[in-house]
Amino acid sequence: MSDARSAAGVSAAARRVAGGRRNPAVVGRDDTAPRWLRRSAGVSWRLLVVLAAVVVVFYATSQVTLVFVALFLALVFTAVLRPLVEVLDKVMPRGIATAASLLGGILFFLGMLTYVGYSIATQWNDLSVQFASGIRQITDFLESGALPFTITSEQIAEWIDNGLQWVQEHAGTLAGQAAASAGSVAIAFTALALAVFCSVFFLARGDQIWTWFLNQLPARSRATWQTAGDAGWYTFSGYTRGTVLIALADGVLAFLLLTVLGVPLAAPLAVLVLIGAFIPLIGAPAAMVVAMIVALAANGLWSAVFVGVGIALIGQLEGHILQPLIMGKQVSLHPIVVALAVTAGTLTAGILGAVISVPLVAVAWAVFARLRTLDPPMEELDAADDEAEPTADDDDEQADVRASAGDRDAG
């Protein structure tokens, strides 16, 4: 009993010491900061660690951009050609099926480029004449006064002279940029050759390479990596194949539209629409603007309007029918996430970032969704209620306040 009374006396004395109630050495709890501040600090330093890791990854990638681009292209080639390889593998050896698939893909790509070049060569003279006529029509329209403002031919001539003068003054800079572009072309061919080389092994022995990688990991981690890899590859391959199929459909529909409207260079413009389908949010509008300019210069204002409306309808067909039908639920990203990813990718790495941002975000989300453990879903919230019941955290904080008041009264 005496020991209990002395312990109680020591505890009461400790509480009367200035700051003793908040001293973890006295009461055994770290209450020197509010609960919300402690939680915010814990989340903040974890976010800083994640941000630092992301910065390190981006910095390392920027130092080996060619290798990263080649590996990304190799994965794209593998995702697109793997179904064909699997089909041919049933009737011929795996190596021959891989070679035949790659050769078929290369011939298709070269054939498309050849057709585009032939179309430009055969229609360029007619287009130049029509373009000059279209420019005169646009100039006459601007000078007619139909618009709230008037632009004279003297002003247009002055703008052209200013443009020529700017080109002459920056000729050296433009020449340097052209040389840099030539170097970029060489780098692009190097990355393409490396991508083809890697895709040969991914198509022929991809499963063996993945199994070898898993065997290098501790046994306790292999199942997690296997699950993450399956989820990531399922999403990436589905997105890649779906995008290719949708791009081909957009290109065919755009070619038919431009051919029916009599727009010159229908094949190159259709290929431009096809390429634009690989760049979410940005590519399709850019291709539409270029096609409208050609139609305006060649066939007049109404042709440009019909081209714009037609390509816009193709975009609606893609977004509401083709994407849900082809991709299904393999890539389920909200349009807001797509817009933010494309914007961030463009600001970080230009056109390359715009192309790869969406598949990377889709893969990251798929892996996270597969590995996380979901709590039971909450009911849908109504409008804010002033009489909402307090949460458990509020009850804890109120209890702390009551305990503090009781300590002060005891003191």
Side-chain angles (χ1 to χ4, degrees):
M1 291 292 295
S2 61
D3 293 340
R5 285 194 298 270
S6 82
V10 171
S11 176
R15 284 198 297 268
R16 285 194 291 270
V17 175
R21 183 175 56 83
R22 296 294 183 184
N23 190 346
V26 176
V27 298
R29 287 183 57 187
D30 184 8
D31 288 341
T32 57
R35 184 188 302 272
W36 65 267
L37 183 58
R38 296 198 305 272
R39 291 181 176 177
S40 300
V43 173
S44 298
W45 74 259
R46 290 177 174 86
L47 289 177
L48 289 176
V49 172
V50 173
L51 181 61
V54 171
V55 170
V56 170
V57 170
F58 270 91
Y59 176 77
T61 303
S62 65
Q63 302 302 308
V64 288
T65 305
L66 187 146
V67 176
F68 175 79
V69 171
L71 183 60
F72 182 82
L73 290 177
L75 293 176
V76 170
F77 296 158
T78 304
V80 173
L81 297 177
R82 186 179 178 87
L84 180 59
V85 173
E86 296 295 339
V87 171
L88 296 178
D89 187 35
K90 298 178 181 179
V91 296
M92 61 182 66
R94 184 79 177 185
I96 299 178
T98 301
S101 301
L102 281 173
L103 183 60
I106 293 173
L107 290 178
F108 174 79
F109 180 74
L110 293 179
M112 185 175 62
L113 292 182
T114 302
Y115 180 68
V116 169
Y118 175 77
S119 300
I120 295 176
T122 55
Q123 301 183 36
W124 182 257
N125 293 331
D126 295 337
L127 179 63
S128 61
V129 175
Q130 293 171 340
F131 185 80
S133 176
I135 291 296
R136 284 195 299 270
Q137 293 177 9
I138 295 173
T139 304
D140 295 339
F141 177 76
L142 293 176
E143 293 178 350
S144 64
L147 297 175
F149 54 89
T150 301
I151 300 177
T152 63
S153 57
E154 290 78 8
Q155 290 175 322
I156 297 176
E158 182 181 358
W159 294 341
I160 295 176
D161 293 338
N162 292 336
L164 293 175
Q165 182 179 359
W166 183 88
V167 171
Q168 293 175 357
E169 292 176 354
H170 297 80
T173 303
L174 295 176
Q177 292 179 353
S181 299
S184 300
V185 171
I187 293 176
F189 276 105
T190 304
L192 185 61
L194 182 59
V196 172
F197 178 79
C198 293
S199 60
V200 170
F201 292 94
F202 291 164
L203 289 170
R205 300 181 179 180
D207 295 337
Q208 298 178 13
I209 294 174
W210 177 242
T211 303
W212 174 87
F213 172 77
L214 292 177
N215 288 332
Q216 310 310 308
L217 302 175
R220 63 180 181 276
S221 303
R222 293 173 185 172
T224 302
W225 277 89
Q226 179 70 40
T227 302
D230 292 342
W233 179 248
Y234 175 79
T235 300
F236 182 83
S237 59
Y239 175 86
T240 303
R241 288 195 291 266
T243 302
V244 170
L245 293 176
I246 291 172
L248 291 174
D250 289 349
V252 171
L253 293 175
F255 176 76
L256 295 176
L257 172 68
L258 297 173
T259 302
V260 170
L261 294 177
V263 178
L265 298 180
L269 292 176
V271 172
L272 185 62
V273 173
L274 185 151
I275 295 174
F278 290 94
I279 308 176
L281 302 180
I282 302 175
M288 181 180 67
V289 170
V290 174
M292 290 178 64
I293 292 175
V294 175
L296 176 64
N299 299 334
L301 177 62
W302 286 110
S303 178
V305 172
F306 290 145
V307 168
V309 172
I311 295 181
L313 290 177
I314 292 175
Q316 294 299 315
L317 176 68
E318 170 193 333
H320 293 88
I321 297 179
L322 295 181
Q323 285 192 358
L325 183 63
I326 295 176
M327 291 189 180
K329 297 182 179 180
Q330 287 177 308
V331 181
S332 55
L333 294 179
H334 195 277
I336 295 178
V337 177
V338 175
L340 293 176
V342 172
T343 303
T346 304
L347 294 176
T348 304
I351 297 298
L352 176 63
V355 172
I356 69 175
S357 58
V358 175
L360 289 182
V361 171
V363 168
W365 175 253
V367 173
F368 170 74
R370 182 66 65 85
L371 295 180
R372 66 177 174 174
T373 301
L374 284 176
D375 293 329
M378 61 184 298
E379 297 180 358
E380 185 176 355
L381 298 177
D382 296 330
D385 190 358
D386 295 336
E387 298 180 357
E389 297 181 358
T391 61
D393 293 340
D394 296 335
D395 294 339
D396 293 341
E397 292 183 0
Q398 292 175 5
D400 291 341
V401 172
R402 289 193 296 269
S404 300
D407 291 341
R408 286 196 298 269
D409 294 341

